[in-house]
Amino acid sequence: MSRPKGNERLPPSQYRVDELPVLHVGSAPMFNQASWTFEAYGLVEKPLKLSWKDFLSLPSHWNVSDFHCVEGWSRLDNKWEGVSFRTVLEMAKPKPEVRFCTIECEGGYTTSLPIEDLMDEDVLFAYKLDGKELSPEHGGPLRLVVPKKYAYKSAKWVRSIKFTREQELGYWENRGYSNTCLLYTSDAADE
């Protein structure tokens, strides 16, 4: 099956944008490379605490995907580069009872996803977009990218991931947003 082109890839009522809008209140958090860390903890065999240099030394992956926001816009064909979720999973070795992951970010923002949603090949902890370092306004130095979900699941300014048995509702989910946030696509309609 070939991938739909252009506007055929837009969920209902979405419009296409050429640049990612900046969607946050206030200024982006300051990035201090010397003190920044990424942690993986919770129900894991090997908790991780990585410096920025350590994180950048992990195998790099890239993919091209669309990015959809519940505010009604979509940006198509984003080239993301970063570390695959699967790499972090393999390093941390979650215990068998793990079913969810809570993504924790600067400023107290969180979101949570079932581990099977994060296992998709295109899920990344991204530090580059379209060949350039990810700007702070768009989540740099590190954001989660989950292409099959709306953008509020692709958290900005990621600092840690907690592996859990039960799902913890995130910032927007606690305010009434969908916890599954499935995109409507022709593939989803076939399920």
Side-chain angles (χ1 to χ4, degrees):
M1 175 186 244
S2 64
R3 182 176 169 166
K5 296 185 189 218
N7 290 339
E8 295 171 15
R9 295 183 348 231
L10 296 177
S13 303
Q14 295 285 108
Y15 62 92
R16 187 176 177 169
V17 298
D18 293 327
E19 298 296 325
L20 286 180
V22 175
L23 298 175
H24 60 267
V25 177
S27 58
M30 296 293 294
F31 170 54
N32 181 334
Q33 185 173 333
S35 63
W36 185 94
T37 58
F38 173 87
E39 294 185 56
Y41 71 101
L43 298 174
V44 296
E45 301 289 336
K46 296 186 175 190
L48 302 175
K49 187 169 185 177
L50 304 172
S51 69
W52 183 242
K53 183 179 175 184
D54 293 337
F55 194 87
L56 291 179
S57 72
L58 297 176
S60 178
H61 298 271
W62 66 271
N63 67 57
V64 176
S65 62
D66 299 338
F67 199 71
H68 307 284
C69 181
V70 294
E71 290 196 355
W73 56 265
S74 295
R75 184 170 187 257
L76 306 182
D77 299 319
N78 301 281
K79 183 180 178 186
W80 300 101
E81 184 178 343
V83 174
S84 169
F85 170 80
R86 292 177 180 183
T87 297
V88 173
L89 178 104
E90 289 167 8
M91 292 173 67
K93 300 194 181 319
K95 294 181 178 180
E97 64 267 27
V98 168
R99 294 181 41 235
F100 299 95
C101 293
T102 300
I103 309 302
E104 301 169 327
C105 308
E106 295 279 355
Y109 184 86
T110 61
T111 193
S112 178
L113 290 137
I115 199 164
E116 69 253 15
D117 290 352
L118 294 165
M119 292 299 294
D120 285 345
E121 198 171 89
D122 56 3
V123 175
L124 295 175
F125 289 103
Y127 46 74
K128 285 188 180 180
L129 173 59
D130 297 330
K132 299 176 189 164
E133 286 185 6
L134 193 59
S135 72
E137 294 75 27
H138 295 302
L142 191 68
R143 89 172 295 153
L144 179 67
V145 177
V146 186
K148 291 177 183 71
K149 303 285 185 179
Y150 279 105
Y152 63 91
K153 289 291 190 180
S154 292
K156 295 179 177 181
W157 310 309
V158 173
R159 295 300 299 273
S160 61
I161 180 170
K162 178 169 53 170
F163 291 84
T164 63
R165 179 182 302 113
E166 303 296 324
Q167 189 163 30
E168 301 173 348
L169 293 180
Y171 179 88
W172 285 114
E173 297 81 0
N174 275 314
R175 288 158 176 79
Y177 278 60
S178 168
N179 194 34
T180 59
C181 80
L182 272 177
L183 292 169
Y184 175 83
T185 64
S186 58
D187 290 343
D190 294 339
E191 292 178 356

